[in-house]
Amino acid sequence: MAHLLRGKQAGIQNDLSAGLDSSLFNIDDIARFGINSQTSCLAYDPVQSLLAVGTKNSQFGPGQIYVFGRDRIQATLQLPARGASVQELQFCADKLICLTSKHDICVYSLELKRLISSHSPPGVVTALCTDPMLDYAFLGMQTGDILAYDLDRENLAPFKIALLWREVDQHARVSPVASLQLHPRDVGTLLVGYASGAAIFSFKLNKAVRFFKYELPRGAPGGDGDPSAASAVRYPKLTQAVWHPTGTFILTGHEDSSIVFWDNMKDGRMLMARTLTDTNVATPGAPTGSMGGTMAMKEPLFKISWCANQDSEDTAILIAGGASTQSPTKGLTLFEMGRTPVYATSSWDVLTKYFESPKRQRILPTPPGAEVVGVCPIPKATPYFAGGHDPLAVIALLSSGEILTLTFPSGMPISPTNQLHPSLTLVHPFVKKISIAQAGREKWLGLQERRQQGPQILKGGAEVPRPTRRHERRNILQTIHADGSIRLWDPGHGAEIENTKLLQVDVGRAVGRLEKVDVTQTSLAGESGELAVGMGSGELIIFRWGTNKNAGREPPQPRPNQPGALTNVADRVDASLNEGLIPFTLLDQREGPVTAVKMSEIGFAAAGFEGGSIAIVDLRGPAVIYSASVQDFSRGHNKGSIRRKMSSSGGSAGGKPEWATTLEFSIMTLEGEDYSSILLHVGTNLGHLATLKIVPDPSGRYTVQYAGVVALDNKLMQIEPIDANTGHPARASQNAMAALGTGHKINGALLAVTPTSIHIFKPASAKGAHKSFDSFFCDSAAVIRYQDQGYALLGLFGDGNARAFSIPNLREIATVKASEVLNVRRFADAVIAPSGHIIGFTGPSELALINVFGTGENFTRSQDKLFNPAALIPPRPTISNVQWITGTQYVTPAQMDELIGGPNRPPSKRMIEQARSDEHQRRMGAASSSQAGQPKGQQDEGYWAYMQRQVQERTEKLGFAGEGMDNLEQNSQNWLDDVNKFVGKQKRNAAGGILKAKFGF
């Protein structure tokens, strides 16, 4: 019966939850954003303009594949084996090839967006190689053998390359294949990297034509520079081998971080062995040309990509890894080699100097402490050259699973905003906190920033039309990332998203530094286009929607921030931004990290700091109109102006530090007053909820008065002001502000939520009513509304359930299981929208969107199309003139099919289906023509009549056949008689002619 009394205790007479019952509450699993587990590999297809991302199997989710296109186009592909991780991905024409950690080959159709075949080779697969012009995937095995999997026939081809290294070392039983790469201009030549060395295999000759073995003689320092090992001959193991873009040279990387260049045209000699810092590391006593290298452990060479510009002779080498572990910067190393010397006229010394001294060597910057373990070039057009032909950018994969996009070859960071899918922005870098706000449809459609950007990276795919949502407010998600960046976007509701673009907030520039940018809190006022950002270093920054007056020009050097005062930061704008969220003002309170922040729709911003102080900023000046300590609220201040700054060094009554945990602006009537006011409600970590009244001053400014405080039982998590008559939100909106001039009064109440209870009362200090939670804690809460009906308070609880409570009786309406979708350990980081949508974490970098007002629908994958059949694969490059003159035999892709598939290659499924279709069409055509030739009466005949007619027709046909044979025999006899007559006549004419000639006639 307690719930029947709570409404009267709170002073609310109406049931604001009328019309709501448990049947309305069911969870719809709508969407996923982000990456479910740690990213393991990347692949890019320039023809379809798609990016594939593979993940590892972990406690947060299984290994799976994401394929991203333009805007919001995304598809998720599942692995067939449980517990498997994605080890390598490669696009091949209309297929995506995956090598898993369980050494299975999985083939996915981009058109069907599903697995079409899976194969477990006999052994451990250590390398994978495909080509868009071939129907085969070459599998390098741990034993050293190379198998060919037929992607079209979905079985192993009879072709097999046995361990080639036995020709070099007859005692070699096994040598794992470390890498495989087809010649960039000759599909009939394969570069095989074994652990013992490299070999070049010719498909036409069916044998190895050249071997490369890296040997360090005595006295050579080697890649690791270990003097204790220099007295012995060493053979560092090979980790990868790559072609020069023209195939003239090859490069091998080794486990001692040596980078070795070899000639491929003549005798296969070693031209240069070096590391990132030293040269001639394989020559005893030779000058190393050290660039600062020291005797220290080095990182492995994770990835080497030999790239080319538009001219394949102008190359650059991109290297991930290989740097000293003591190096302060561990980024990507770029060797800009410049134009390759003309091979036919260059001496060995010229070629050696070319690899010894690159035109330019740079380190592409990466985040501090980050280790780059993978590189994915983004070529402009062609899928050949191992993806390294004329790349416009590179995507670096970090050891943490984050990704980083850089321009090529300059290495400037590329923002993923409106370049990559929103899911990829959650790992670029990791998202650490989210918040949500609402904006009107027209307002959000107008908030589209204009920023200078390079060419689009992802342009593939096509969206499937979705149902449109009725014209109502949009939920705007704000994601805070580890580098301090903030992005705003519409997660949608499973319907058509009208504005798919993202907004980016350049916090680093606004605060005046690019390092140690730690954002703790954000608050967006959707209707006014203003954003308040709280920093871990104690700054409060206000952003406003506007235009950049200095667009295209770098801003001047920022002036120092003024302690305890406002600093104008309007000139701290990124030069590439033309229109968007522009920095407006900054408050450097220096009271510790910002613990709470609130941006109102009516031009006021408030922030709470860990030191205990709070500050209110009036944006009309701007000016700080209030600064005080929350610890003073518990001492029972009398009502009056508190415009002066109060000391924040004191403690609470119990000696515990106290700070604001939640802030909320409202417009309502205080208890005992007959007019409405602008109010600020401050909740603290010790359970105090204070109310401050903002009133106009005769001077034209606003002042702040202390109104009262209520002591609750625990930390304040959420404050929800509501209209006690209708249940509508009583927040400080622009309409409510305008109505104050007409004397409009709002009979309001506050809903305050702590981890252990819900309180409802009239501010500022009425007792009201409450409900306690005995066996579980509340982690997050908000007021929601079902369509145009009643309101309810929805909370996420530690037992994994979402519970809805009526207003004002606080009776439990329904309970639904939210932990089946969301991670219960991160319920405190989830956000609840007024529409009943919840966005929460399922893992470190994945968000789920669910709706409690659903019908129990499970998550369904996107129906967007990935494959574009009109995007044609360009022809494969052919061998150069020099290679043709020197006798290189070129093998066409069609000849490769014959060499690998053999003469008994079974027909493909497509061929079988086409034959079946043709046969079916032929039969249907014959049946229709036969049925059309029948008299109408025959279509209604019985079975025996049908049989009798068939026998009669067959007898008639046999009679016709007999008559035909008789006619044939008669015609043949007549023809023979005519021939005899003709021959006889010719003989007589010939004899007569001879007699006439003899007698002279």
Side-chain angles (χ1 to χ4, degrees), residues 138 146 159-162 164 167 180-183 186-192 194 198-212 243 264 879 887-892 895-896 899-900:
F138 297 102
I146 300 174
F159 182 82
K160 178 181 178 182
I161 303 176
L164 301 175
E167 299 182 28
L180 292 172
Q181 188 175 340
L182 288 167
H183 194 290
D186 183 9
V187 74
T189 305
L190 180 66
L191 175 61
V192 185
Y194 295 102
I200 295 179
F201 178 81
S202 172
F203 285 93
K204 189 160 189 177
L205 301 177
N206 197 27
K207 68 175 185 179
V209 296
R210 188 165 284 122
F211 293 94
F212 307 92
W243 289 101
N264 180 44
I879 59 178
T888 302
Q889 296 179 334
Y890 178 69
V891 180
T892 64
Q895 293 172 335
M896 285 286 291
L899 291 173
I900 300 174

Side-chain angles (χ1 to χ4, degrees), residues 625-639:
I625 61 173
Y626 181 76
S627 182
S629 172
V630 297
Q631 297 163 353
D632 296 328
F633 299 152
S634 60
R635 298 170 185 167
H637 287 297
N638 294 323
K639 297 183 180 181

